[in-house]
Amino acid sequence: MIGNPVTHSRSPDIHTAFAQATAQAMVYERLEAPLDGFAASVEAFRNAGARGANVTLPFKEEAFALSQVLSARARAAGAVNTLRFEDDAIHGDNTDGVGLVRDLEANLGVRLAGARVLLLGAGGAARGAVTPLLEAGIDSLLIVNRTAARATGLAQGLARTQGGGPEALAGRAFDVVINATSAGMSDAMPEVPAAAFAPGALGYDMVYGRATPFLAFARAAGARASDGAGMLVEQAAEAFFLWRGVRPDTAAVLASLRGG
Ligand code: NDP
């Protein structure tokens, strides 16, 4: 896991558990790259015989630029969180969006086909989620961001998708409300009215491992609520599959992540 900082990443625990469960001989550790030395760190790691890496803040765009072969979903996201070193080339992929969709559908039992979805935020995490959500067959997607122009920019040219500022929420209700902002990290939440949660809705905060104001607000509005721990584990499982060709079972790892 290459990032800066990376000290708090849970990914080494997750991948070590996957490797044990699938009997794969694999070592996965944290690697802090200097802020101005991402490419050099990747090169040194690759030369040392590494097979691949995950990439986190603030290097996902740099990883995109460094990749010589890009998957369609990485291209759609404009960011790379998974590198694979193969055939003398750096392959870049993005597993965040598929991780989100898998958590919603497989772990939380949400039926995305036909769902009205609200995506709060227009940063890297939101950008990675858009195409996988549309491909899951949702009815409509509204992207709302504090800086409205970023949301309208993200929605531009996409079918079934609109973007805007918080005023775009007036009079609308959604089956799934996804908080893809980083507001929860500072105990804040994006602007959203209680009426945005349709009866039976799910409120999903991508931030994980903390009780965010958004989760409390969603519950108070009568919705189900989930943090992003499942997305973290599912995106890791997809990366593991890309490297090892084996799909690990995620349930036990997710339970232990939630338990401790
Ligand atoms: P970015 O920095 O790229 O984007 C941050 C977004 O949050 C922007 O849309 C920004 O709005 C908005 N924002 C920040 N603070 C506030 C606030 N107080 N009120 C309203 N909006 C706010 O971050 P990322 O998109 O990369 O990540 C977002 C979050 O998602 C992170 O906290 C990260 O932990 C989480 N994440 C979780 C993953 C998982 O596996 N569970 C995977 C990836 C990310 P503006 O444009 O106006 O500045």
Side-chain angles (χ1 to χ4, degrees):
M1 167 58 80
I2 306 179
N4 187 331
V6 278
T7 4
H8 298 297
S9 170
R10 303 297 305 269
S11 294
D13 302 337
I14 295 171
H15 282 285
T16 301
F18 285 165
Q20 276 165 3
T22 58
Q24 291 286 305
M26 183 174 111
V27 176
Y28 183 113
E29 290 172 348
R30 297 174 184 85
L31 176 59
E32 184 167 290
L35 289 174
D36 61 353
F38 174 71
S41 297
V42 170
E43 201 46 37
F45 187 47
R46 203 176 152 209
N47 288 339
R51 298 286 301 277
N54 277 136
V55 180
T56 189
L57 289 174
F59 298 127
K60 289 185 185 180
E61 277 84 13
E62 264 189 85
F64 178 82
L66 194 66
S67 298
Q68 292 149 326
V69 185
L70 284 164
S71 69
R73 57 195 182 190
R75 239 179 276 119
V80 158
N81 80 333
T82 304
L83 296 172
R84 202 161 39 87
F85 309 135
E86 201 177 288
D87 308 328
D88 283 333
I90 300 178
H91 297 249
D93 206 333
N94 190 313
T95 63
D96 283 335
V98 76
L100 168 70
V101 164
R102 215 161 273 157
D103 190 35
L104 290 172
E105 292 192 317
N107 300 335
L108 296 165
V110 171
R111 194 179 140 77
L112 283 175
R116 298 161 293 174
V117 179
L118 169 62
L119 187 61
L120 299 165
R127 202 164 57 216
V130 169
T131 304
L133 285 169
L134 290 171
E135 283 176 359
I138 60 172
D139 169 73
S140 58
L141 179 64
L142 177 63
I143 307 168
V144 166
N145 195 42
R146 164 175 84 169
T147 311
R150 293 186 79 192
T152 41
L154 189 51
Q156 208 162 22
L158 294 173
R160 293 172 281 146
T161 308
Q162 292 174 292
E167 68 286 346
L169 292 166
R172 296 188 60 172
F174 304 87
D175 306 303
V176 183
V177 178
I178 300 165
N179 182 14
T181 75
S182 51
M185 299 300 288
S186 46
D187 293 326
M189 67 171 276
E191 204 179 320
V192 59
F197 296 88
L202 173 77
Y204 189 95
D205 201 328
M206 285 194 189
V207 168
Y208 55 86
R210 54 195 293 157
T212 64
F214 174 82
L215 290 175
F217 185 81
R219 283 191 198 101
R224 273 202 301 153
S226 173
D227 76 355
M231 174 178 174
L232 178 75
V233 173
E234 296 298 340
Q235 65 76 26
E238 183 72 12
F240 190 91
F241 175 71
L242 291 172
W243 295 319
R244 313 299 301 198
V246 181
R247 202 168 276 287
D249 184 32
T250 51
V253 174
L254 181 53
S256 93
L257 188 72
R258 288 229 156 94

